[in-house]
């Protein structure tokens, strides 16, 4: 199978398209942003159900076909742009995102959308199954890592649907899943300094098989010995990063931040 450089595997199963849009909760009183409309399988249904639809597509050929097909619809706005660079603040507030994301750029686009989360009510996105496994992973499992912590810190995460490769043309090598991400007004845990929090999270997962005392050795001056164990902020550093909850990461980073003040 030829590699699709722009992640152009088109959904061809209409009932899955309907299901995604139904589960997204699309309604006539809310605008929708679609990233990568492609040939328009989701676009056509979204235009029937949403208040309005803005679609961002990078491929000029697809843009021209989309203009021919939907250009006369007053609810439709097409933006020929790179979703990796787009300023999502320019679209106002209170819109939702529905997208079958191009796989090669999916996590980067997601991170960018989360950067603009104050503008967005929720996002219903199709991604590689493996990525959704990471977004939804809980501590102590193989898929739990810095991406899980980042997404779960900022969003409520709900896994909605599993979609097999046969539902696409051309079929990709891997299966897909649909996930709904609802940005939280307040993160689930109290973090005093976001930069320190994510620096600690990323360091904790740097070498996944290593103990925290190795991954966090940059803060070795703050380590304490307690009953023969090495601890930081009361957390046993013989543990691995993958066993730490969001609360544990908050405890570690708030302690480190307070020591650096
Ligand atoms: N929504 C369609 C569907 O479900 O069949 C197409 C989905 S396809 C997986 C991904 C789409 O994203 C393609 O139309 C591709 O051209 C577009 N795309 C890829 N990279 C992009 C980028 N950086 N910015 C905007 N669109 C992009």
């Amino acid at each position: 199978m030829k590699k699709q450089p722009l992640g152009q595997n088109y959904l061809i199963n209409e009932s899955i398209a309907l299901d995604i849009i139904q589960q997204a909760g699309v309604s006539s009183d809310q605008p929708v942003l679609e990233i990568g409309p492609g040939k328009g399988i989701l676009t056509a249904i979204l235009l029937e159900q949403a208040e309005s639809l803005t679609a961002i597509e990078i491929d000029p050929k697809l843009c021209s076909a989309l203009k021919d097909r939907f250009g006369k619809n007053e609810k439709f706005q097409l933006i020929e742009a790179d979703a990796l660079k787009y300023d999502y603040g320019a679209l106002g507030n209170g819109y939702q995102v529905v997208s079958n994301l191009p796989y090669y750029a999916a996590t980067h686009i997601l991170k960018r959308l989360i950067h603009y989360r104050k503008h967005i009510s929720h996002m219903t996105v199709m991604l590689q199954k493996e990525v959704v496994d990471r977004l939804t992973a809980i501590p102590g499992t193989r898929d739990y890592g810095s991406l899980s912590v980042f997404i779960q810190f900022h969003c409520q995460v709900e896994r909605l649907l599993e979609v097999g490769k046969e539902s696409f043309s051309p079929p990709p090598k891997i299966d897909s899943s649909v996930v709904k991400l609802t940005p939280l007004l307040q993160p689930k845990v109290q973090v005093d300094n976001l930069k320190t929090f994510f620096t600690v999270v990323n360091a904790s997962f740097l070498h996944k098989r290593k103990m925290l005392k190795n991954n966090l050795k940059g803060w070795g001056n703050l380590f304490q010995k307690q009953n023969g164990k090495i601890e930081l902020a009361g957390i046993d550093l013989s543990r691995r990063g993958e066993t730490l909850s969001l609360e544990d990461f908050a405890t570690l980073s708030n302690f480190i931040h307070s020591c650096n003040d």
Side-chain angles (χ1 to χ4, degrees):
M1 182 60 54
K2 195 171 142 256
K3 195 163 172 273
Q4 304 302 314
L6 286 174
Q8 291 171 325
N9 304 94
Y10 303 105
L11 182 66
I12 49 170
N13 186 323
E14 186 90 15
S15 71
I16 289 176
L18 280 165
D19 205 1
I20 293 171
I21 289 166
Q22 202 237 326
Q23 299 217 41
V26 172
S27 70
S28 57
D29 56 8
Q30 189 180 30
V32 173
L33 166 67
E34 183 185 5
I35 295 171
K39 295 186 175 173
I41 185 167
L42 295 169
T43 322
I45 311 168
L46 288 169
L47 276 169
E48 281 170 17
Q49 299 191 10
E51 181 186 87
S52 60
L53 177 68
T54 302
I56 300 178
E57 173 58 62
I58 200 170
D59 183 329
K61 270 197 192 144
L62 290 172
C63 284
S64 150
L66 288 160
K67 266 185 234 151
D68 288 347
R69 186 169 168 198
F70 303 115
K72 287 205 175 71
N73 191 324
E74 287 176 357
K75 293 205 259 175
F76 184 63
Q77 189 201 2
L78 180 65
I79 300 174
E80 190 173 326
D82 182 349
L84 285 164
K85 299 190 181 136
Y86 190 70
D87 169 10
Y88 295 97
L91 298 175
N93 290 323
Y95 61 89
Q96 66 159 297
V97 177
V98 178
S99 172
N100 173 9
L101 286 170
Y103 291 163
Y104 78 95
T107 47
H108 286 103
I109 295 174
L110 258 192
K111 285 185 177 171
R112 191 158 177 85
L113 288 170
I114 285 174
H115 178 76
Y116 288 95
R117 63 192 175 279
K118 297 227 159 62
H119 298 265
I120 299 171
S121 72
H122 58 286
M123 321 170 210
T124 309
V125 289
M126 178 133 67
L127 301 152
Q128 303 96 304
K129 180 186 171 300
E130 284 74 9
V131 173
V132 174
D133 289 343
R134 286 161 62 203
L135 301 186
T136 54
I138 57 170
T141 60
R142 194 192 46 156
D143 294 316
Y144 186 69
S146 51
L147 184 65
S148 326
V149 175
F150 176 76
I151 297 287
Q152 293 171 26
F153 180 78
H154 287 300
C155 298
Q156 189 67 41
V157 185
E158 192 187 346
R159 190 172 193 136
L160 298 178
L161 279 178
E162 305 307 315
V163 185
K165 17 176 151 16
E166 66 289 347
S167 295
F168 298 88
S169 173
K173 284 209 177 75
I174 39 178
D175 292 331
S176 300
S177 308
V178 180
V179 72
K180 187 176 194 167
L181 306 174
T182 308
L184 297 164
L185 294 175
Q186 287 291 332
K188 281 180 215 138
V189 292
Q190 159 70 38
V191 164
D192 298 337
N193 185 284
L194 276 185
K195 194 165 177 266
T196 308
F197 178 76
F198 286 112
T199 305
V200 170
V201 170
N202 291 333
S204 299
F205 289 107
L206 197 60
H207 304 284
K208 268 199 111 177
R209 304 310 304 157
K210 285 199 174 166
M211 288 188 264
L212 286 167
K213 65 175 161 225
N214 297 309
N215 282 337
L216 301 182
K217 63 174 181 255
W219 293 285
N221 57 323
L222 305 176
F223 290 2
Q224 288 156 340
K225 263 206 166 155
Q226 242 2 299
N227 305 325
K229 286 182 179 161
I230 300 177
E231 292 185 351
L232 181 58
I235 296 196
D236 178 356
L237 297 182
S238 65
R239 290 169 66 182
R240 295 203 174 97
E242 66 195 21
T243 70
L244 263 55
S245 64
L246 255 60
E247 287 78 7
D248 293 331
F249 283 118
T251 303
L252 277 180
S253 74
N254 289 344
F255 178 76
I256 289 171
H257 181 64
S258 72
C259 296
N260 290 340
D261 259 354

